[in-house]
């Protein structure tokens, strides 16, 4: 047994050293190849930048990977008309074809790069390839494909995307908010349907609410208010409903915001104070002034901030609190007034 | 062979077997970590360019406050702050905390950025030494300066966290050199799993020997100094194998103080960094685990393999020895403070695997290994144990050590390829072998010193004299 430990250690150390030697050799060889690729990249860059049309000469024999990677890098560096121009050049150089082939790679990373690259091309073949990729075995690649499709003009139905991404069963990333935002402006009804679909996980519905809030679409306000009023006081979703109402900034959120300010939940009061300020809900001034004495700093801070957003009404309350409030309220009010240069 | 009573032979064998068993358990831990690290690297997200990351996360990335404690940094502070202000991230603030510097750190900042005293309503949830003044720069809205009485690094970080108003805080050392897209990369777990992620650590690499311009590493090179070179392999092992593997197993117990991204509320909930330990970075992570487990909330503490920052490693035996003794002390202090978590099923894998590893590697590891050096060869020479025992002991110390170090290098080369030249690979392979003969033993001696300091309840950090980066 003891001898076996020694033999095994020798075997493992020897094998590791042998593999490392091989890797060093491969590295030496690949360094030459990398140098060649870098040189090719240096030759290609000025050709791509020089003219409006894709270069016809000087790229023969150049590795596909160089052309693909460089064009993608250039596209990501620019915006507007220049980006459209580079996308056109890349398409003529066959970059989307290569990326579509790359989608079949075994390597997850290569597939991800292909999806992110194809997101830049809004042609039918790329769209079909991305639709197929919604069936990829990897969650993140499916989400990346969905994001790419969501950005295009000819996007699939949101319900279909949610189903194919498996969002009904899985945790959701913040990127789902980005995905829903793509739909919030053009297809707000689809996002609204997600919000109201009680079979969906809460995280997905909240992401849909946040996306809708960013778009400023206030048609959902009554529904969110209703959800906010019905949400349990200590629930995770209540602050997010209130936050969304603040983002939308519609006065119809009044009841939910006032109820939120009276909540026992600290995150809910913080979110409600933020919403009251954004909506400029003057009738919340007394409640906000009361919250300046709350034990939690975030509540005091957001309440003071909200009072400042209310204008003169709020500033008067802050001055009163700074002069004669409780110890915590005095400090919060005085510091916030001083911070904004409003100290008497 | 000497003539001795049977019980002496038996006792010698038992002692040797104990040393070998402890070594084998450590090796087994390392091999498991290697396997999990390989799995994590295989599954890691595609490496995207900064502009692609910006495209993807730019509009949803949560705001971050970078808390940079500074103590006597007058020479380098402007360069460090400039580099921080130039980071690529949509919404961040740099909070420099002058921790009662005795030099002109404060005045240098005030003069350079024309900073003015300001009022800012801030939290007082975390305890720290009194704040003497708050400053803002009209031309640099992202920069904020906190001047406070000296209280040490943990104290300064707590002050910075109190002043921060963002959902995430990034704590760094004042001399940490961040990659320009460090925040964009480190924030990813918070985007992918916003509900559960509470803390993220990233790879720290050694900047000695690298070319540094404007607070950025512009050319990665291996150091020429012997101790710094040894630490390159050590850091690779510590970050690429240990932390990545432990993160994949969800048992990561430390996020280095040189770079860590935390959910601010979670840090406040556990009372921030503890000022009464030199292992405040490890202690904070353990507190986060403890709280989340106590509350039975699902959570993730994640390590990302992408290099996010660079640090200057000690180049002399004296300073390196102090650092290692301090690290050892920090581990022991954390273990003592949270000893009720050790093998406690209530804390699940953290109690069993995380604390089990700390016990075997950090608590008894250096003692058993040094005891092995002192006992096993003499016992063999005296004929009290057979040659096979000696071979097994040499295996757990040397040959398995070579295997683990070289296997980590293989992982790095196969998955990440961050070493620029084949020559560097050859050098590091040689270092991975050689470090087991001399350097490892020296390290254990330093760790024993840390044990001794722990027993004597020594406080404080000792001297860390920095040589400074090789700037262009």
């Amino acid at each position: 047994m003891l001898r076996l430990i020694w033999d095994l250690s020798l075997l493992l150390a020897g094998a590791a050293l042998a593999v490392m030697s091989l890797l060093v050799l491969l590295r030496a060889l690949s360094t030459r190849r990398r140098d060649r690729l870098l040189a090719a990249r240096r030759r290609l860059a000025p050709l791509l930048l020089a003219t409006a049309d894709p270069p016809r000469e000087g790229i023969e024999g150049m590795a596909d990977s160089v052309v693909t990677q460089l064009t993608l890098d250039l596209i990501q560096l620019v915006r507007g008309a220049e980006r459209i121009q580079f996308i056109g050049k890349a398409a003529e150089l066959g970059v989307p074809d290569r990326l579509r082939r790359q989608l079949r790679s075994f390597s997850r990373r290569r597939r991800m790069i292909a999806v992110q690259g194809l997101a830049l091309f809004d042609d039918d073949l790329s769209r079909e390839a991305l639709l197929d990729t919604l069936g990829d075995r990897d969650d993140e690649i499916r989400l990346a494909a969905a994001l790419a499709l969501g950005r295009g003009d000819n996007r699939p139905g949101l319900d279909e995307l949610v189903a194919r991404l498996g969002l009904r069963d899985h945790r959701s990333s913040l990127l789902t908010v980005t995905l829903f935002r793509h739909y919030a402006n053009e297809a707000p009804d689809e996002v609204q349907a997600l919000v109201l679909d009680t079979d969906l996980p809460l995280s997905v519905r909240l992401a849909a609410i946040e996306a809708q809030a960013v778009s400023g679409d206030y048609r959902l306000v009554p529904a969110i208010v209703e959800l906010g009023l019905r949400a349990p006081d200590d629930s995770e979703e209540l602050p997010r409903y209130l936050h969304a109402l603040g983002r939308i900034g519609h006065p119809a959120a009044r009841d939910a915001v006032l109820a939120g300010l009276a909540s026992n939940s600290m995150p809910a009061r913080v979110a409600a104070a933020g919403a009251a300020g954004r909506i400029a809900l003057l009738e919340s001034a007394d409640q906000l002034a009361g919250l300046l004495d709350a034990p939690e700093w975030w509540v005091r801070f957001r309440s003071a901030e909200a009072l400042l957003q209310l204008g003169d009404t709020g500033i008067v309350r802050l001055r009163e609190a700074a002069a004669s409030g409780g110890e915590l309220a005095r400090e919060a009010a005085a510091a916030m007034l001083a911070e904004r240069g409003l100290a008497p | 062979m000497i003539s001795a009573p049977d019980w002496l032979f038996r006792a010698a064998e038992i002692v040797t077997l104990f040393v070998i068993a402890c070594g084998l358990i450590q090796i087994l831990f390392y091999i498991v970590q290697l396997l999990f690290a390989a799995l994590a690297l295989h599954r890691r997200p595609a490496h995207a360019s900064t502009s692609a990351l910006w495209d993807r996360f730019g509009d949803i990335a949560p705001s971050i406050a970078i808390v940079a404690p500074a103590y006597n940094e007058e020479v380098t502070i402007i360069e460090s702050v400039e580099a921080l202000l130039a980071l690529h991230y949509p919404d961040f603030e740099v909070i420099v905390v002058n921790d009662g510097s005795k030099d002109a750190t404060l005045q240098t900042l005030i003069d350079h950025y024309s900073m003015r005293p300001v009022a800012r309503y801030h939290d007082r949830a975390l305890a720290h030494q009194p704040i003497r003044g708050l400053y803002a720069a009209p031309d640099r809205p992202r920069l904020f300066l906190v001047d406070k009485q000296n209280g040490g690094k943990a104290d300064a970080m707590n002050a910075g966290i109190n002043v921060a108003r963002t959902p995430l805080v990034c704590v760094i050392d004042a001399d940490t050199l961040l990659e320009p897209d460090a925040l964009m990369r480190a924030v990813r777990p918070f985007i992918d799993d916003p509900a559960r992620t509470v803390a993220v650590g990233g790879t720290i690499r050694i900047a000695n020997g690298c070319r540094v311009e404007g607070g950025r590493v512009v050319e990665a090179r291996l150091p020429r100094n012997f101790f710094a070179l040894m630490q390159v392999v050590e850091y690779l092992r510590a970050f690429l194998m240990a932390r990545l593997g432990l993160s994949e197993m969800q048992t990561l117990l430390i996020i280095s103080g040189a770079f860590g991204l935390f959910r601010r509320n979670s840090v406040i909930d556990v009372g921030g960094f503890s000022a009464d330990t030199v292992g405040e970075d490890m202690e904070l992570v353990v507190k986060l685990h403890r709280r989340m487990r106590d509350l039975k909330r699902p959570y993730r503490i994640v390590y990302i393999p992408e290099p996010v920052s660079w640090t200057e490693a000690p180049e002399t035996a004296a300073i390196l020895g102090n650092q290692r003794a301090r690290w050892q002390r920090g581990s022991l202090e954390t273990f003592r403070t949270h000893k009720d978590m050790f093998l406690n099923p209530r804390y699940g894998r953290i109690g069993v695997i995380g604390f089990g590893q700390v016990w075997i590697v950090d608590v008894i590891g250096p003692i058993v290994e040094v005891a092995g050096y002192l006992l096993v060869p003499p016992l063999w020479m005296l004929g009290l144990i057979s040659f096979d025992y000696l071979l097994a002991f040499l295996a757990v110390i040397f040959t398995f050590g070579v295997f683990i170090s070289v296997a980590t290098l293989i992982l790095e080369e196969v998955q990440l390829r961050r070493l620029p030249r084949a020559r560097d690979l050859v050098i590091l392979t040689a270092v991975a072998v050689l470090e087991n003969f001399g350097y490892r033993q020296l390290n254990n001696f330093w760790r024993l010193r840390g044990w001794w300091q722990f027993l004597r309840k020594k406080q404080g950090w000792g001297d860390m004299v920095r040589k400074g980066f090789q700037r262009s």
Side-chain angles (χ1 to χ4, degrees), chain B residues 9 24 44-45 50 76 84 131 150 158 195 218 221 316 339 434-435:
Chain B
F9 284 96
L24 279 178
R44 76 186 192 281
T50 309
T76 56
L84 291 176
I131 289 177
N150 180 260
N158 284 344
V218 292
R221 293 183 196 147
T316 66
K339 58 183 178 298
L434 291 176
E435 65 156 353

Side-chain angles (χ1 to χ4, degrees), chain B residues 332-390:
Chain B
L332 294 173
E333 285 169 357
T334 304
F335 189 85
R336 181 184 55 194
T337 307
H338 300 276
K339 58 183 178 298
D340 59 310
M341 293 174 75
F342 176 48
L343 300 183
N344 185 341
R346 174 188 163 93
Y347 294 102
R349 62 181 82 180
I350 297 301
V352 178
I353 300 173
F355 270 75
Q357 149 137 337
V358 173
W359 186 77
I360 200 88
V361 175
D362 292 331
V363 178
I364 65 162
I367 297 173
V368 173
E369 188 166 327
V370 171
Y373 295 136
L374 297 176
L375 290 175
V376 177
L379 289 176
W380 171 68
M381 281 191 277
L382 290 170
L384 291 171
I385 54 172
S386 70
F387 186 58
D388 284 358
Y389 281 92
L390 181 69

